[in-house]
Amino acid sequence: MKHLSSQISKVLAGLLLAGFFFLFMVVDGLLKSNLQDQIIYDLRIEAEMADLYLSTDSVKLQEDVARLALLTESRFTVMDETGRVVAESDPAHRPEMLDNHLNRPEIQGALRGLDGYGYAFRYSHTLNEELVYVAFKSSKSRFVRIAKKQSFVNSIVWKVRWIVIVIALLTVAALLVLMPRLTGRVTKGLTEIVRASEEIRSGNYDREIVVKEQNEIGDLASTLNLMSSKLKEDIQQLRQMQDVRKDFVANASHELKTPITSIRGYLETLLDGAYHDEEVSKKFLERTMSNVVRLESIVNDMLDLSMLESRDHGLSLRYFDIGTMLKSLTSDYQEAARQKGLDLKLTSSIPPEFTLMADPYQVEKALFNLIDNAVKYTDSGSVTVSASLVEQSLHIVVADTGNGIPPEDQHRIFERFYRVDKGRSRQLGGSGLGLSIVKHVMEIHQGEVRLQSEIGKGSRFTLIFPAKT
Ligand SMILES: Nc1ncnc2c1ncn2[C@@H]1O[C@H](COP(=O)(O)OP(=O)(O)OP(=O)(O)O)[C@@H](O)[C@H]1O
Ligand SMILES: [Mg+2]
């Protein structure tokens, strides 16, 4: 893996080197031109002073230029007004051997320049070196020219160049050494995020990313933390759902097994010869029949539940007259209630024109289950069904004066196959699916079911259908 810190270091080192190069070029140029200006200025004074010193006598003049050249480590040339060389300090060149100097740029400069000076930088074939020439037009009808080697300018320039180069290299080296430590602080958070993400990927959803920085990296860390806790939640939910499913299969098989075992017993007994006895045969066949009816009702409940849980719930919504539905349901149960000596009443305060937007088949199933339970689990007293509008939402209450439900069971009775008193419920033909169907029906209608119950006093189930906007 490439490290971010080394990538940052490389970019910074590159930028720094580019910066130094630019600085180098600027300093170099400035230094050179300043030094040259200074030299020309110095040489001008030297030339003027030499003119004062130099004799006008031609023999003496040759001696003078030789002496001055020795003293100043420069080359002196004196020309007359026509450019003819009259004295030359360089012993290798006799003045009369030299050609006319009038067209040399420094002489032309001295002729044309207002202050009588001219200069030129030029390669001297005589000395095989870069020279700087400064000429002065004297009032003594002559030109005094002084020439100096440029190499000493170069040596100063090179000294400065070397200083800049060394500083640049030292800075870049220091940067490369120190950079990992500096960028380390920036990349520490990222490294932590990478490490934690790998742990989370391998299943450790409790791993929290600890980044204290308050910048984008910190934001990233807290977003990732949120994501992983969300993931953890989802996984837990998924596992829970798997558990519920497993339980359901186990419970369902168990519930189905009981009537099947009974049926098998009755049929075996009949086949073993009991069918010869008409009375016994009838009794066994009746019991077989009631077990088949029970199987049918369990399977129907399971089908209802699985449909309610399917994605589209198989709902068919429409407006219907809930008041009439309640009336017909309660009258269906009057006979069963009367047989148990129960008083089954219906009270309604909803206006007669009221219609409910819901799936009538599902709502009827839910109401049927509540009334069925109330009658089943109440031994004496009454069962009251009442309907009312509370702030435009429909409340349907099924209240009984039965045994009541223990507080610890109250939230569990809505689970599939859960029964408070298994023996009694089964004896009454229940499988524990009724209330879970009720709960599902209410959930898919965006409504809810509430329960109030007290042992010995009775239970009160309330269905709430939200107001349709
Ligand atoms: N009105 C009630 N009074 C007392 N206990 C109740 C009442 N309604 C339900 N219960 C308890 O809640 C349990 C679950 O009820 P649910 O309707 O889901 O199943 P069930 O009546 O046993 O069987 P099923 O409705 O499938 O025929 C019941 O077994 C019973 O113990
Ligand atoms: Mg029931």
Side-chain angles (χ1 to χ4, degrees):
M1 190 175 79
K2 276 185 186 163
H3 286 286
L4 186 61
S5 56
S6 76
Q7 285 171 337
I8 294 175
S9 309
K10 273 179 208 154
V11 170
L12 273 180
L15 279 175
L16 214 63
L17 277 176
F20 270 117
F21 180 71
F22 182 71
L23 190 74
F24 180 86
M25 298 302 283
V26 170
V27 167
D28 201 55
L30 276 176
L31 190 70
K32 239 179 169 170
S33 73
N34 273 323
L35 275 173
Q36 284 174 348
D37 285 354
Q38 186 63 45
I39 286 172
I40 292 162
Y41 183 75
D42 287 352
L43 292 183
R44 270 171 63 168
I45 293 171
E46 274 181 46
E48 200 166 339
M49 276 168 37
D51 181 50
L52 293 176
Y53 170 79
L54 291 172
S55 160
T56 41
D57 171 72
S58 65
V59 181
K60 184 98 184 336
L61 182 63
Q62 184 58 44
E63 280 169 24
D64 286 349
V65 290
R67 193 174 305 127
L68 273 181
L70 217 70
L71 276 170
T72 58
E73 288 179 24
S74 307
R75 175 182 165 197
F76 281 89
T77 313
V78 180
M79 289 136 278
D80 67 13
E81 272 175 318
T82 65
R84 190 177 59 87
V85 178
V86 291
E88 165 60 60
S89 68
D90 186 358
H93 298 89
R94 306 261 311 275
E96 54 272 25
M97 305 283 283
L98 289 165
D99 55 353
N100 189 292
H101 274 25
L102 193 66
N103 285 325
R104 294 287 198 279
E106 62 276 11
I107 303 296
Q108 286 296 317
L111 265 175
R112 293 206 196 97
L114 287 175
D115 46 4
Y117 291 98
Y119 69 90
F121 293 92
R122 169 150 56 78
Y123 191 81
S124 159
H125 293 282
T126 322
L127 293 174
N128 270 335
E129 246 204 271
E130 190 82 22
L131 290 180
V132 52
Y133 294 90
V134 174
F136 169 62
K137 186 175 179 294
S138 149
S139 55
K140 296 170 186 168
S141 330
R142 63 182 180 189
F143 296 102
V144 176
R145 189 183 73 170
I146 183 166
K148 217 169 178 125
K149 289 177 189 172
Q150 254 209 87
S151 54
F152 81 101
V153 175
N154 286 337
S155 80
I156 291 175
V157 169
W158 269 108
K159 241 179 239 165
V160 175
R161 276 180 189 170
W162 274 117
I163 289 169
V164 174
I165 289 170
V166 168
I167 289 175
L169 290 179
L170 281 178
T171 312
V172 171
L175 177 90
L176 289 178
V177 172
L178 293 178
M179 213 41 207
R181 245 178 270 173
L182 294 175
T183 51
R185 216 181 299 159
V186 177
T187 54
K188 205 179 118 208
L190 282 177
T191 312
E192 160 73 1
I193 287 173
V194 170
R195 232 179 263 146
S197 306
E198 269 160 11
E199 276 186 50
I200 292 168
R201 193 188 55 192
S202 58
N204 180 6
Y205 299 103
D206 290 320
R207 173 69 153 88
E208 210 195 326
I209 307 171
V210 195
V211 174
K212 293 194 187 76
E213 287 159 63
Q214 294 196 330
N215 51 23
E216 287 85 346
I217 295 175
D219 289 352
L220 177 64
S222 49
T223 307
L224 284 175
N225 279 336
L226 275 179
M227 260 171 61
S228 79
S229 64
K230 182 86 189 27
L231 203 64
K232 190 181 159 190
E233 241 169 67
D234 289 354
I235 287 169
Q236 276 171 348
Q237 212 176 327
L238 216 65
R239 287 205 183 119
Q240 211 176 324
M241 271 162 66
Q242 272 172 346
D243 288 349
V244 168
R245 186 134 301 166
K246 255 187 240 155
D247 282 359
F248 177 72
V249 172
N251 286 327
S253 318
H254 183 75
E255 285 307 319
L256 294 171
K257 206 179 151 195
T258 317
I260 289 172
T261 310
S262 304
I263 291 168
R264 184 193 171 129
Y266 295 132
L267 293 179
E268 268 172 2
T269 317
L270 284 171
L271 286 174
D272 279 351
Y275 72 92
H276 293 301
D277 185 329
E278 199 177 318
E279 208 173 307
V280 174
S281 296
K282 188 166 181 268
K283 198 171 84 186
F284 279 18
L285 284 174
E286 275 168 1
R287 287 189 189 166
T288 303
M289 184 63 182
S290 86
N291 275 291
V292 169
V293 169
R294 186 157 154 58
L295 272 181
E296 196 183 13
S297 101
I298 295 174
V299 171
N300 279 338
D301 282 352
M302 280 165 54
L303 284 174
D304 280 346
L305 267 177
S306 83
M307 197 172 80
L308 289 170
E309 279 180 347
S310 70
R311 198 168 303 214
D312 62 353
H313 314 303
L315 272 193
S316 81
L317 296 174
R318 61 181 175 84
Y319 284 104
F320 67 93
D321 180 357
I322 182 74
T324 305
M325 181 185 277
L326 285 170
K327 256 180 233 153
S328 88
L329 266 173
T330 41
S331 73
D332 285 352
Y333 263 91
Q334 282 303 341
E335 178 55 23
R338 200 191 54 76
Q339 274 177 16
K340 284 187 85 178
L342 298 175
D343 186 10
L344 175 58
K345 289 173 290 190
L346 170 66
T347 61
S348 169
S349 66
I350 53 176
E353 71 277 5
F354 179 84
T355 52
L356 179 66
M357 177 58 147
D359 183 330
Y361 171 73
Q362 306 291 356
V363 172
E364 183 170 34
K365 212 157 52 184
L367 288 168
F368 165 83
N369 268 303
L370 290 184
I371 298 170
D372 182 63
N373 282 350
V375 172
K376 256 196 318 195
Y377 302 113
T378 306
D379 295 328
S380 62
S382 62
V383 171
T384 312
V385 180
S386 47
S388 60
L389 288 179
V390 180
E391 286 164 0
Q392 295 189 349
S393 47
L394 175 67
H395 286 218
I396 301 174
V397 179
V398 179
D400 64 54
T401 56
N403 315 340
I405 300 157
E408 65 271 20
D409 293 315
Q410 286 184 11
H411 68 283
R412 296 208 62 191
I413 56 168
F414 294 98
E415 289 172 16
R416 286 180 282 206
F417 299 112
Y418 191 84
R419 286 161 299 195
V420 178
D421 181 346
K422 277 204 193 303
R424 185 184 158 113
S425 164
R426 201 170 289 156
Q427 190 192 321
L428 297 170
S431 57
L433 289 172
L435 285 179
S436 80
I437 291 175
V438 171
K439 193 175 171 224
H440 267 91
V441 169
M442 294 317 290
E443 273 171 7
I444 60 178
H445 281 94
Q446 276 94 47
E448 57 172 312
V449 50
R450 288 184 193 161
L451 165 62
Q452 285 168 287
S453 184
E454 216 177 302
I455 293 287
K457 283 201 174 157
S459 311
R460 187 185 160 87
F461 288 86
T462 308
L463 302 186
I464 301 173
F465 293 90
K468 281 273 159 356
T469 44

